[in-house]
Amino acid sequence: MTNRLLLVTQYFPPASGSGVQRGAKFVKYLLRLGWEVDVVTIDPSTYPWQDPTMRDDVAGARVREASLARVPGIEHRVLRAIPALRRRVAEAVRESKPDVILATAPDFHWVVAARAAASAGIPLVLDYPDPWTVLPPDLMGFRPPTAAKSRLKWAVAPAAERWCTDRASAAVFATEPILEEYSARFPGLASRRVITNGFDTEDFEGVTAEVPNPSERIRISHVGSFGGPRSPVPMARAVRVAADLLEQGAERLEVSLVGAADAGSLVEAERALTPIPLRVVEWLPHRRAIGELLSATVLWLDAMAHLRSASTGKIFEYLYSGRPVFALAHPESPAAALVERFHAGRVVNDMDPEANGSALAALISGMEGGGVERRDEQGLQTYDRRRLTDELSELLLSVTRTPATQPRSHW
C-alpha cells in the first residue's frame, strides 16, 4: 500500500520564482520516500519566469494545471483560476483518491482545497511559507492597501482563512515567529509545527564557479529578486562607504545583482555606487543562480531590518555555499539567528549607510582565503531539504487515517 498526496499550490515548475522552491522540493523528496503525488496548480505559463530545468525534480508527480478565466474587473491570478482549480481538484480526488491534501502558499486557492477535503473526508494540512492575513505588528511594509478592491479582499480574506484553518488537521510554518502569531490567532488548530525552508545539496552538484581573489577583486552579490519594500539602494550606499574605508576599495569592489529589481531603483543604485561597477542580471534558472551565488566573495542578504518574522528562503543556500554573509536583518529575526549561529558573517539592522559600510569593510578586512569557516556542520544539515521533507512526511502520515508502513529515510 502506498500513501497518496494531493498538493494544491499557486506555484509549481516550470514556473519560477521564490514561491516555487518549497513546494517543488517537498514533492521531489516525497516521491523518493515512496509517496504518490498529484499536484493541482495554476497554469505556469501565466507567470513571468519559467525554469524548465526544474521539471526533472518533480517528474514523478501527476500535474493538473488550472487555466485563468476572464473575469471583468478582477486581475488577481488565484481568483481568476478558482473555477478551473475546483474542477482539477475534484478530478484528482475522484481519480487518485488521496490520503491527505496539502495546501501551500496561502491564498484563496486554499478554500478550494479545504472544501474538497471536507466533502471527501480527507485530512487537510496547511503549509505557511509566509503569512496570509495574520500579519505581525512589525510588518509595516505589507499593511493592507487602501484601494477599493484591496479593502474588499481584506474584508473577505480573514474569514476565508479562518474557514480553512477550522477544517485543517495540521498546519506547518516556515518560521517560529509566524507560528507564534498564528497560534495566538487560531489556538484551536489541532497540530502546529515549524518546518523551515532549506537547501538542496543536489542543486550544488556539478556547479562550478570561480571566486575572485580578494586581494584583487571583491564581488558583493545579491542573488534573488527584490520584493516588497526591499531595494538595492541601501546595499549600494553601504558598499560605496566601504570602498572609502578599504585599501584601493573603489578599484577592488564590484556589485552583482542577480534577480529582478525595479528599474528606477537600479538607476539610483548605480548612481550611489559610482565609480564602483554594477552588474545586473534580471533572471536566471535556479542552477545558474547557484553558480552566481558560488562566484561571490560576499553575499548580501536583505531580510528587512524592521521585520522580526523575516528569514527569506535563500538564506539557507547562502549558508550552504560557505560564502560570508552580510545580512540586513532584525536582530531577533530567524535570519539574524541563523547568521550568528553559524558564524556566517555580519548582521546589521541600521539603515545608516555609514554604519553598514563600516561593518561591511570590517567583514571584508577580516576575510582569509575568500571565505569564512563554517562551524557546526552537523547543525547545518538540519536544513537539508531531504531531512525537512522527512519531517513533513511524518506529519502527513500522522494525520492520515490508514497510513502505509513507511520507515523514516536515512539520507
Side-chain angles (χ1 to χ4, degrees):
M1 180 179 176
T2 301
N3 289 114
R4 297 178 296 275
L5 170 72
L6 171 58
L7 171 68
V8 184
T9 180
Q10 297 183 58
Y11 313 108
F12 203 70
S16 181
S18 58
V20 175
Q21 291 289 322
R22 184 173 173 92
K25 296 302 183 181
F26 279 149
V27 169
K28 173 182 178 178
Y29 289 111
L30 284 171
L31 289 168
R32 295 192 188 180
L33 287 171
W35 284 81
E36 290 183 5
V37 181
D38 282 75
V39 178
V40 174
T41 189
I42 296 174
D43 179 359
S45 68
T46 64
Y47 289 91
W49 299 298
Q50 305 286 308
D51 186 356
T53 64
M54 288 189 64
R55 285 185 185 273
D56 292 342
D57 279 358
V58 295
R62 294 180 291 268
V63 181
R64 293 174 169 85
E65 298 173 358
S67 58
L68 302 186
R70 296 180 180 274
V71 183
I74 296 181
E75 299 179 1
H76 193 288
R77 181 183 278 109
V78 175
L79 290 178
R80 290 173 57 198
I82 290 294
L85 284 169
R86 290 181 63 178
R87 292 193 298 271
R88 297 291 180 262
V89 168
E91 289 173 5
V93 170
R94 183 176 62 252
E95 296 173 7
S96 298
K97 296 178 174 55
D99 298 299
V100 60
I101 297 176
L102 174 66
T104 189
D107 209 311
F108 287 103
H109 65 286
W110 277 20
V111 176
V112 175
R115 179 177 178 271
S119 298
I122 301 170
L124 171 68
V125 176
L126 303 176
D127 175 45
Y128 283 92
D130 297 295
W132 185 3
T133 68
V134 180
L135 302 183
D138 58 358
L139 198 55
M140 303 297 288
F142 292 89
R143 282 183 171 176
T146 57
K149 286 188 294 185
S150 293
R151 286 201 302 270
L152 176 62
K153 170 187 172 181
W154 283 93
V156 173
E161 181 172 30
R162 182 171 291 278
W163 192 86
C164 294
T165 58
D166 285 347
R167 286 153 181 80
S169 299
V172 174
F173 301 90
T175 71
E176 190 69 36
I178 300 177
L179 180 145
E180 292 172 2
E181 294 290 337
Y182 272 84
S183 295
R185 183 68 62 87
F186 304 116
L189 195 58
S191 177
R192 297 178 290 271
R193 182 181 301 187
V194 172
I195 299 180
T196 68
N197 288 306
F199 58 85
D200 186 349
T201 59
E202 293 183 2
D203 288 342
F204 289 78
E205 293 175 359
V207 177
T208 58
E210 183 177 350
V211 183
N213 184 334
S215 64
E216 300 173 358
R217 175 65 63 185
I218 298 168
R219 180 177 300 136
I220 304 167
S221 299
H222 179 281
V223 182
S225 62
F226 286 93
R230 295 186 183 98
S231 165
V233 176
M235 173 184 179
R237 291 172 177 165
V239 171
R240 188 64 193 83
V241 171
D244 292 335
L245 299 174
L246 293 167
E247 184 178 354
Q248 296 182 319
E251 292 76 25
R252 294 165 60 207
L253 294 178
E254 66 179 31
V255 172
S256 182
L257 301 178
V258 182
D262 175 71
S265 295
L266 290 175
V267 171
E268 188 176 351
E270 188 171 24
R271 186 183 302 118
L273 279 168
T274 303
I276 299 168
L278 172 63
R279 172 175 173 263
V280 178
V281 180
E282 288 195 356
W283 178 86
L284 287 174
H286 187 62
R287 281 179 61 84
R288 289 183 61 191
I290 293 293
E292 291 284 344
L293 185 151
L294 292 174
S295 70
T297 315
V298 175
L299 290 167
W300 179 284
L301 179 75
D302 187 343
M304 294 182 286
H306 69 282
L307 183 56
R308 176 178 171 264
S309 61
S311 178
T312 79
K314 64 177 162 282
I315 189 172
F316 300 98
E317 293 175 333
Y318 273 31
L319 293 172
Y320 186 71
S321 75
R323 304 297 182 264
V325 177
F326 190 81
L328 182 63
H330 190 287
E332 298 178 3
S333 67
L338 285 164
V339 172
E340 291 170 356
R341 174 184 173 187
F342 293 105
H343 306 275
R346 295 288 295 270
V347 176
V348 296
N349 69 316
D350 194 330
M351 296 304 291
D352 179 8
E354 296 292 332
N356 293 348
S358 177
L360 178 60
L363 173 65
I364 292 171
S365 297
M367 290 171 52
E368 295 181 0
V372 295
E373 180 184 357
R374 187 173 60 218
R375 298 170 176 85
D376 191 11
E377 187 74 21
Q378 183 175 0
L380 187 61
Q381 297 308 309
T382 301
Y383 305 105
D384 188 315
R385 293 281 192 184
R386 297 170 294 187
R387 297 193 180 190
L388 295 167
T389 306
D390 274 339
E391 295 181 34
L392 178 64
S393 178
E394 290 180 352
L395 176 63
L396 295 173
L397 289 170
S398 73
V399 301
T400 301
R401 288 174 296 180
T402 56
T405 300
Q406 182 176 311
R408 180 181 175 89
S409 66
H410 301 281
W411 299 107

